[in-house]
Amino acid sequence: MQLNGLSVDQAPPIAVPLRFFLTAPLFGIIAGVLILLNDSHTLMNRYSIDAIIITHAITIGMFTFVMFGALTQMLPVLAGAKIGEVKRVTLFSYLLLSSGLISMILGLKFSLSFLTSYAYVGIGLGFLTMVLGIVYAIRNVKNFTATIKGMAASLLFAFFTACLGSFLLYEYASNSISQYHLLVANIHSVWAIFGFCGLLIIGISFQVLPMFYVAPKFKQFCKKRVVILISIGLSIWFCLNLYYEEYELVAKIWIALFFWAFATAVWLKFNRRKRPISDVTVWYWRSASLFLTLGSFLWIFDEFFKHEYIVMVGILIGGGFVLSIILGMLYKILPFLIWFHLNATGYMNIPTINEMIDNGLAKVQFTLFILSLIGFIFAFYIPQLLAVSALYFIISMALLEYNLLVPVLLYRATKKRKPDFDMSAFSVDGVA
Amino acid sequence: MNTIKEYLTTDHRKCDAIFAKMEEEAGSSLENSRILVEEFISDMQHHFAMEEQVMFPEFEQKTGMTQGPTEMMRQEHTQMRSLFTQLMDSLNENNSDRFFGTSETLMILLQQHNMKEEQMLYPMAQQHLSAESDRIVSMMDSLAVE
């Protein structure tokens, strides 16, 4: 029987998610600087080394870090499960992923094969540690909700994505690019975005939208079938890609239609939400559904243009959809965590979560982020836009780091004083 | 008759709807939202009472778990009651920023609390108390009349 999620002391120590959250914008800054140092012609080729490095600074450094950090916190609430030895497991994974990613960036950039060799081991093991830790934690969950199904399917794709990624890095490290390299790279990228990131976002949104925004619930069909139908679509696409490439468009349309439907559902649910509040997190959800719609259609049209627009699809779906949702969720989760951990340890006289992050600065951060994305897209036609967009992106990520650090510093300062209320009667070992 | 799980889950949604109405009204006029704020707090206190006075003791008696999940839910109720006080204070001070800051904090705390109850505690309670389900729902319902 799952009891873990009901106790306050099930929450992982606050350092566990914060470590992941505070590191993510730093990799965003690194990605921005790398874009600034490049030209749009190089980045238009998705298989150029610089494009690969930048993509992974964002996909591993931002997507994965925030998602893993959030999962450590959400598992007890959503599934009543907690990762065993959570401090050790997450620290181990964090160190492997961050050192692996830095090695990958340096190893590929400067052709240092020993660093690239370390990267495929480090990143691969980092993923494996977290994925296995979470899978082991949810193995006995009785009430397997639509959200947990989304999470489990997403982790399965994360596992395969990491295996394929490690194989690709191994080929770079050993300087032996096989004939399957581009095929594997294509599967790796599609499963990463639609499988790992997409399914996790869809699964989480089944819970988050009705609860935090009092938006209408997703229909039973969506909750029961969409995750499995997308997973089937991704598997069919994989088979067609391997054996009947001329028919892969069918599976792509299948996948894209579900994501477009999801984007539309999110937009309509926000229109019909009962809470009138419109903060930066709502802006992020709105922008995510717009970018996802554009990205889904472009992904299909790209098929007829010899994949000329695939990088643009990556910007629309990776940056516009996945990153938007992740940043929006960060603005919700981080201040709440700070408030929750302080309040649960007896600190009552603390700012509310709205007061922890300056709403004006969050909106500036959002605006710069969206402008940078639009700039990146138009840089395909106006190359001069790339540098200014990269600058916007860097400033936006630096602002994000600042916005996240303010509540963390408040937490540290508050913990130095005596609690307002003695909570020793309650068990809060894991919270402090 | 509803099961314990259905009855209490429906009550959660009812409180959510009043919360949303309260925020909407407060958005146009903080002072005019007073009735809805009081209604929301009253409904929440009533929900807590149904759990703390009826369902939790029954669950504890049946399972022998007095320091387990129910105790932790009580602690979160205490956290929320403290926010109710802050919500009323901000209303009395006519401080809109403070009001919406508190309501946002309350909303997230409330929703993660509801998630734990609906996905774990209520199914557990239903499982252990299925034979007495009608009686317990009836007792909670009569508490509602009072």
Side-chain angles (χ1 to χ4, degrees):
Chain A
M1 185 172 297
Q2 295 291 317
L3 290 171
N4 294 331
L6 290 165
S7 62
V8 174
D9 59 357
Q10 45 70 37
I14 195 164
V16 169
L18 289 188
R19 191 181 293 130
F20 284 105
F21 293 163
L22 293 179
T23 309
L26 302 180
F27 278 113
I29 293 172
I30 291 173
V33 171
L34 290 169
I35 296 171
L36 188 65
L37 298 176
N38 264 286
D39 59 88
S40 66
H41 181 72
T42 310
L43 299 184
M44 272 178 80
N45 175 11
R46 68 185 287 209
Y47 296 119
S48 68
I49 290 295
D50 286 306
I52 291 170
I53 293 171
I54 292 163
T55 302
H56 288 83
I58 292 171
T59 52
I60 300 176
M62 299 197 77
F63 299 177
T64 307
F65 272 51
V66 176
M67 284 177 174
F68 280 176
L71 278 174
T72 63
Q73 188 63 36
M74 285 178 171
L75 268 185
V77 178
L78 295 175
K82 74 173 183 182
I83 301 169
E85 294 290 332
V86 67
K87 272 163 97 170
R88 284 200 190 94
V89 167
T90 54
L91 180 62
F92 185 61
S93 173
Y94 169 83
L95 291 175
L96 284 170
L97 284 171
S98 45
S99 60
L101 181 54
I102 291 167
S103 301
M104 177 183 173
I105 293 169
L106 295 174
L108 288 179
K109 182 80 187 163
F110 302 108
S111 302
L112 301 168
S113 62
F114 70 99
L115 283 179
T116 316
S117 297
Y118 172 75
Y120 73 76
V121 177
I123 296 171
L125 276 180
F127 262 93
L128 199 65
T129 306
M130 276 299 281
V131 169
L132 289 182
I134 296 171
V135 169
Y136 191 72
I138 61 174
R139 74 195 185 286
N140 288 331
V141 171
K142 297 274 193 305
N143 189 13
F144 226 71
T145 61
T147 297
I148 305 171
K149 281 179 193 160
M151 206 185 279
S154 155
L155 289 171
L156 189 68
F157 282 105
F159 173 78
F160 287 121
T161 300
C163 292
L164 296 176
S166 289
F167 167 75
L168 294 167
L169 267 182
Y170 162 77
E171 290 204 329
Y172 281 114
S174 58
N175 208 12
S176 57
I177 305 295
S178 70
Q179 55 174 320
Y180 304 111
H181 190 85
L182 294 186
L183 179 71
V184 173
N186 197 29
I187 295 164
H188 164 79
S189 56
V190 169
W191 279 11
I193 292 296
F194 292 106
F196 172 35
C197 301
L199 289 178
L200 189 60
I201 289 172
I202 290 176
I204 299 282
S205 64
F206 290 154
Q207 285 284 353
V208 166
L209 295 197
M211 288 208 153
F212 291 160
Y213 302 99
V214 195
K217 281 183 177 178
F218 283 84
K219 290 193 166 61
Q220 279 304 316
F221 170 78
C222 297
K223 289 163 77 171
K224 283 190 173 163
R225 305 272 179 263
V226 164
V227 167
I228 188 78
L229 286 171
I230 293 175
S231 303
I232 291 171
L234 285 167
S235 307
I236 292 174
W237 174 82
F238 168 75
C239 297
L240 292 176
N241 212 20
L242 283 184
Y243 304 110
Y244 303 99
E245 208 183 340
E246 61 273 27
Y247 297 113
E248 73 158 340
L249 181 64
V250 178
K252 279 177 86 167
I253 291 173
W254 174 318
I255 299 161
L257 276 179
F258 278 109
F259 276 93
W260 167 68
F262 171 71
T264 310
V266 167
W267 185 269
L268 294 176
K269 283 185 192 306
F270 270 98
N271 284 351
R272 289 162 54 207
R273 75 188 188 280
K274 289 185 182 163
R275 283 191 87 193
I277 305 299
S278 180
D279 56 15
V280 75
T281 69
V282 177
W283 293 13
Y284 267 120
W285 276 97
R286 292 274 201 198
S287 65
S289 59
L290 282 178
F291 280 113
L292 178 57
T293 303
L294 294 173
S296 302
F297 283 109
L298 191 60
W299 191 45
I300 300 302
F301 289 125
D302 175 61
E303 193 72 20
F304 302 104
F305 293 94
K306 296 180 183 165
H307 303 296
E308 207 176 301
Y309 298 105
I310 195 68
V311 175
M312 214 186 270
V313 173
I315 296 168
L316 286 169
I317 298 185
F321 166 55
V322 181
L323 201 47
S324 283
I325 299 272
I326 280 174
L327 300 187
M329 291 300 291
L330 263 182
Y331 277 122
K332 268 273 188 258
I333 297 172
L334 189 129
F336 175 70
L337 278 183
I338 302 282
W339 184 91
F340 183 75
H341 280 257
L342 284 175
N343 194 274
T345 42
Y347 296 93
M348 302 299 173
N349 190 21
I350 49 173
T352 62
I353 61 174
N354 278 10
E355 292 163 327
M356 286 188 190
I357 294 179
D358 185 320
N359 197 29
L361 273 184
K363 286 180 174 170
V364 172
Q365 189 276 323
F366 169 86
T367 310
L368 286 170
F369 171 70
I370 297 296
L371 284 177
S372 72
L373 288 183
I374 295 169
F376 289 147
I377 291 164
F378 283 100
F380 280 81
Y381 307 106
I382 313 165
Q384 295 82 347
L385 275 177
L386 189 73
V388 71
S389 306
L391 270 177
Y392 281 173
F393 189 78
I394 294 167
I395 299 169
S396 151
M397 291 299 117
L399 255 181
L400 175 69
E401 182 72 12
Y402 174 80
N403 286 341
L404 300 180
L405 266 177
V406 169
V408 175
L409 294 176
L410 171 94
Y411 175 84
R412 289 184 62 177
T414 309
K415 289 297 276 188
K416 283 182 185 153
R417 67 175 166 84
K418 212 167 162 263
D420 307 311
F421 183 67
D422 181 11
M423 301 291 280
S424 57
F426 299 107
S427 166
V428 289
D429 301 336
V431 172
Chain B
M1 185 173 270
N2 282 335
T3 63
I4 296 170
K5 181 175 183 288
E6 287 164 353
Y7 183 80
L8 289 170
T9 302
T10 306
D11 202 54
H12 278 167
R13 296 294 85 79
K14 187 182 145 212
C15 292
D16 288 349
I18 297 171
F19 180 91
K21 267 208 284 187
M22 170 193 90
E23 273 193 334
E24 192 174 8
E25 187 65 40
S28 47
S29 162
L30 198 56
E31 191 45 46
N32 290 348
S33 67
R34 182 175 291 274
I35 294 170
L36 285 167
V37 177
E38 285 169 353
E39 187 185 347
F40 167 70
I41 293 174
S42 159
D43 282 5
M44 286 299 300
Q45 295 283 22
H46 171 253
H47 182 85
F48 293 166
M50 289 197 293
E51 292 181 333
E52 291 173 358
Q53 292 172 30
V54 181
M55 200 275 266
F56 289 179
E58 295 276 352
F59 178 83
E60 286 162 355
Q61 199 182 8
K62 189 82 177 177
T63 61
M65 288 189 283
T66 52
Q67 294 301 311
T70 46
E71 188 52 32
M72 292 308 157
M73 292 298 100
R74 281 195 185 93
Q75 188 193 343
E76 291 193 354
H77 290 173
T78 307
Q79 284 181 288
M80 281 186 266
R81 284 186 175 115
S82 146
L83 285 171
F84 296 158
T85 310
Q86 288 179 39
L87 202 63
M88 283 309 294
D89 289 347
S90 59
L91 188 65
N92 293 333
E93 292 160 11
N94 204 23
N95 185 337
S96 179
D97 286 347
R98 186 87 188 156
F99 179 88
F100 283 106
T102 308
S103 74
E104 182 69 21
T105 311
L106 180 58
M107 183 63 178
I108 300 184
L109 181 64
L110 175 64
Q111 295 305 340
Q112 63 93 37
H113 174 83
N114 289 353
M115 259 189 254
K116 292 175 191 171
E117 288 191 334
E118 289 170 26
Q119 290 175 19
M120 286 163 271
L121 183 60
Y122 294 168
M124 281 161 58
Q126 189 58 43
Q127 186 190 347
H128 287 284
L129 302 169
S130 58
E132 295 102 318
S133 182
D134 286 353
R135 177 179 62 81
I136 292 168
V137 170
S138 169
M139 279 169 72
M140 289 194 288
D141 212 35
S142 62
L143 200 68
V145 177
E146 285 165 16

